Amino acid sequence: MSINQIIAHELTVKIHQIEAAVALLDEGSTVPFIARYRKEITGGLDDTQLRLLESRLLYLRELAARRTVILDSIAAQEKLTPNLQAAILAAQTKTLLEDLYLPFKPKRRTKAQIAREAGLVPLVQAILDNRQVLPDILAKNYINVEKGIDDAALALEGARQILMETLSENAPLLADCREQIWTQGVICVSVVKGKEKEAEKFKDYFDFREPLRKIPSHRALAMLRGCNENFLALHLLPAQDEERGHTLCIQKVARELNVGNLAQPANQWLADTAQLAWKTKLLPRLELDLKNQLRSHADAEAINVFAHNLRDLLLAAPAGAKVTMGLDPGIRTGVKVAIVDKTGKVVATDTVYPHQPRNEWDGAIATLAKLCKQHGVELVSIGNGTASRETDALVAEVLKRHSELKFNKIVVSEAGASVYSASELAAKEFPHLDVSLRGAVSIARRVQDPLAELVKIDPKSIGVGQYQHDVNQTHLAKMLGNVVEDCVNKVGVDVNTASISLLKQVSGLSASVSENIVAFRNEHGAFTSRHQLKKVPRLGSKAYEQCAGFLRISNGDNPLDASAVHPEAYPVVENIMAKTGKSIRDLIGQVSFLRGLHAEHFTDAHFGVPTVTDILHELEKPGRDPRPEFKSVEFKAGVEKIADLDVGMRLQGVVTNVANFGAFVDVGVHQDGLVHISQLSDTFVKDPRDIVKTGDVVTVTVTDIDMSRKRIGLTMKQGKK
């Protein structure tokens, strides 16, 4: 099958859909653009399908390129047979392709190669062809002192080396044994002797066994990290019954040599060769391959979990246009304060010292109250780091002493705020603001609009992944970049307020063009129409096509510029206006009227039912925000550290991270608790993300407290009280 046919089969869609999508991708169209504005062409492929298509397209094209290199290499050696060529052309994985290439791959001079040069290949064939004759007798005919074969024993050893190398390069045999170990094998882990104390954090794996294919990603990555740090030793058994597993694989190797009746002298020698080939050649290679396969599977799973969590965090509910005070808690260094107006502009900063050693409690309350009154603060955002509960209590006291103030307070994750504060981007944005105060600005803004603020921070610093430094960094960066791009384009961007960091995530916009948009905005004032974007330097027709539908202009010349309707489809709206006799302002927001229209009445040669349907939905509420309604969590008063917890205590908390084995929940004690997957619901849960997502406010019950390891067990089961 062709690459397009393979992808169509895997995604269970029509070949013409794949061909259309591939053509659009090759032309430079982005996934968000294709998913939103080219539904007729692709037959309605969504962003998830398109991301899978994009990933598989890259893999299969790399596979095809490697296949060509391998075919050329083998052909140059004049060893390319029709059967081998057919096998290479049929290989659908990089692993199988490399297995087939292994015998022909340039390699260092091996013992087998030396034996071949000594003329021992005919001896190998003689042994295979004469099973009734003792190999020692046959070997005497191949003694060659000049070539280092002084006696029959050396000749036999050379023949064995040739056979063992041939077996270790047998692609079908390797694939068969690899599959057996993957499906039946067991991973065994033990602590490196003498390192028990240093390896304490890995003590769960000091004497550990688990079926290879059932190991979840978090355990695999933990074990592999322990091995990389030389605290753990890891090896594979071919089956639960180690002896039986080795026997099965040795039998597979022996079958390649047609070992039958062991009464025949040559067969016993060949059986011994098969056993030695398995233990010294095939097993070490397969062990390495399968460790890599285990890592690859664990990486993929961990990266996928990270991506889901990042998507949930980026699409978390925004508080919206509220004057917000951000507090970055600290003890000795004080609580950093920043107030941003409804647009996110910094209007005031300060630092108060309510905690030890200065204990300026009353003074801090007075300062915060004054700032709240002066700027009309509607929301106070408190970072969840050191002294966050003490600072939360401080803000509660401000409300208690100043009943005239009407603001809400919320504790938010401050993950990444310090990274942003010290970044070049923050320095450009706030050149005259102290680094310590920039974090407070980030904490304030991430409540107003999590997406707009968090895109400024490297996703790996946001704190929603596990073992992110252990996984393949190229694959991780690619996946997280895709998530950010999808989220930004799903929500849309106000071109008149967006930062460069946000704009460069918009379909079709590069970092340099994003800078040009902001520079144009600063020089000429706010954009009043999407058409003006064409005047931005280096924003060409292709970039305009890709980005225009995702950029919003509020209160502009054309109400449609505030919507997700692409400018290329404005004629469709004009057609609707003409046929209904209504102006654009009479159409927008008229839900019952719009739902009474039939999309097929307004299609034309360029825009079909899918696009017209999207346009009618968009006219109901132009530029609607797909994110949920904003909610805040109220942590239990008096519960500020692990020691304050009791088993059975019911608490509100916020989900900070979701893994395949459960969800981590912040209950306000500076240490997230774990709701194991078995404790997420009274019913069976296959995937924790079916129950919770990052940012959810949940009610939990404390089930276990381990003070020494700082671990908190929680449950969301309703049966627990």
Side-chain angles (χ1 to χ4, degrees), residues 221-243:
L221 291 171
M223 288 185 285
L224 290 168
R225 176 187 285 183
C227 289
N228 290 339
E229 294 179 7
N230 296 316
F231 292 134
L232 300 177
L234 183 153
H235 69 280
L236 300 180
L237 304 182
Q240 283 280 7
D241 182 334
E242 182 177 3
E243 185 176 346

Side-chain angles (χ1 to χ4, degrees), residues 21 72 188 203 239 313 315 357 386 388 510 530 542 567 595 610 625:
D72 290 346
C188 296
K203 73 175 186 179
L313 190 62
L315 294 178
T386 304
S388 67
S510 63
R530 281 171 167 164
K542 184 66 177 180
R595 290 183 180 177
D625 195 322

Side-chain angles (χ1 to χ4, degrees), residues 305-306 308-310 312-313 384 411-415 462-466 633 635 653-659 662-668 670-675 692-698 714:
V305 169
F306 196 159
H308 278 291
N309 286 335
L310 179 63
D312 291 338
L313 190 62
N384 68 344
V411 177
V412 301
S413 169
E414 62 178 35
I462 295 177
V464 292
Q466 285 199 307
V633 63
F635 291 132
V654 60
V655 178
T656 59
N657 207 347
V658 181
F664 291 94
V665 178
D666 178 6
V667 292
H670 304 305
Q671 181 65 48
D672 290 352
L674 172 65
V675 183
V692 292
K693 65 179 185 298
T694 304
D696 280 356
V697 175
V698 295
L714 305 170

Side-chain angles (χ1 to χ4, degrees), residues 440-641:
V441 176
S442 178
I443 288 168
R445 285 178 168 178
R446 67 177 59 189
V447 176
Q448 289 181 322
D449 190 338
L451 180 59
E453 192 62 23
L454 292 175
V455 293
K456 300 175 184 177
I457 302 169
D458 181 349
K460 288 182 286 186
S461 299
I462 295 177
V464 292
Q466 285 199 307
Y467 298 100
Q468 61 246 42
H469 301 296
D470 295 300
V471 302
N472 185 299
Q473 296 300 296
T474 302
H475 294 169
L476 178 63
K478 172 68 173 172
M479 175 70 86
L480 299 185
N482 289 344
V483 169
V484 174
E485 182 183 40
D486 288 345
C487 290
V488 169
N489 290 284
K490 182 181 181 71
V491 173
V493 171
D494 187 329
V495 72
N496 285 321
T497 61
S499 65
I500 294 170
S501 300
L502 191 58
L503 285 169
K504 70 181 184 181
Q505 300 297 339
V506 173
S507 170
L509 296 184
S510 63
S512 60
V513 173
S514 299
E515 290 174 1
N516 291 345
I517 289 174
V518 173
F520 188 91
R521 187 175 76 197
N522 292 339
E523 182 179 351
H524 300 283
F527 289 91
T528 58
S529 74
R530 281 171 167 164
H531 188 73
Q532 281 181 286
L533 289 165
K534 295 181 178 180
K535 298 180 181 178
V536 173
R538 296 181 62 190
L539 201 160
S541 57
K542 184 66 177 180
Y544 179 78
E545 174 197 61
Q546 297 293 306
C547 76
F550 302 108
L551 295 175
R552 311 278 193 264
I553 298 175
S554 302
N555 304 313
D557 299 337
N558 188 337
L560 291 176
D561 285 350
S563 74
V565 179
H566 197 286
E568 67 184 10
Y570 285 3
V572 175
V573 180
E574 292 166 4
N575 185 26
I576 295 171
M577 291 162 55
K579 290 185 176 180
T580 61
K582 289 183 176 289
S583 69
I584 182 60
R585 298 188 188 280
D586 289 334
L587 278 175
I588 288 177
Q590 300 303 310
V591 177
S592 58
F593 177 78
L594 289 166
R595 290 183 180 177
L597 300 178
H598 298 284
E600 57 269 21
H601 294 167
F602 307 102
T603 59
D604 59 27
H606 300 289
F607 303 102
V609 170
T611 295
V612 177
T613 300
D614 283 347
I615 290 171
L616 291 174
H617 287 158
E618 187 63 20
L619 290 175
E620 291 180 15
K621 189 180 178 182
R624 78 185 73 197
D625 195 322
R627 294 174 289 184
E629 184 181 350
F630 178 74
K631 291 180 182 178
S632 61
V633 63
E634 284 292 333
F635 291 132
K636 189 177 182 70
V639 178
E640 300 176 358
K641 52 188 181 298

Side-chain angles (χ1 to χ4, degrees), residues 160-233:
R160 177 164 278 166
Q161 290 295 333
I162 292 171
L163 271 174
M164 289 198 301
E165 185 172 276
T166 301
L167 289 166
S168 71
E169 295 176 347
N170 183 316
L173 176 61
L174 285 169
D176 189 12
C177 292
R178 185 185 290 115
E179 178 63 18
Q180 178 190 307
I181 300 177
W182 182 253
T183 56
Q184 300 180 31
V186 175
I187 194 163
C188 296
V189 188
S190 58
V191 64
V192 174
K193 286 186 178 180
K195 294 193 175 182
E196 290 83 358
K197 189 172 181 180
E198 294 174 83
E200 177 67 19
K201 64 181 177 180
F202 297 108
K203 73 175 186 179
D204 290 344
Y205 305 105
F206 280 9
D207 184 14
F208 184 85
R209 288 168 63 108
E210 187 168 9
L212 181 60
R213 67 181 305 175
K214 293 184 178 180
I215 299 174
S217 65
H218 64 281
R219 280 211 287 274
L221 291 171
M223 288 185 285
L224 290 168
R225 176 187 285 183
C227 289
N228 290 339
E229 294 179 7
N230 296 316
F231 292 134
L232 300 177

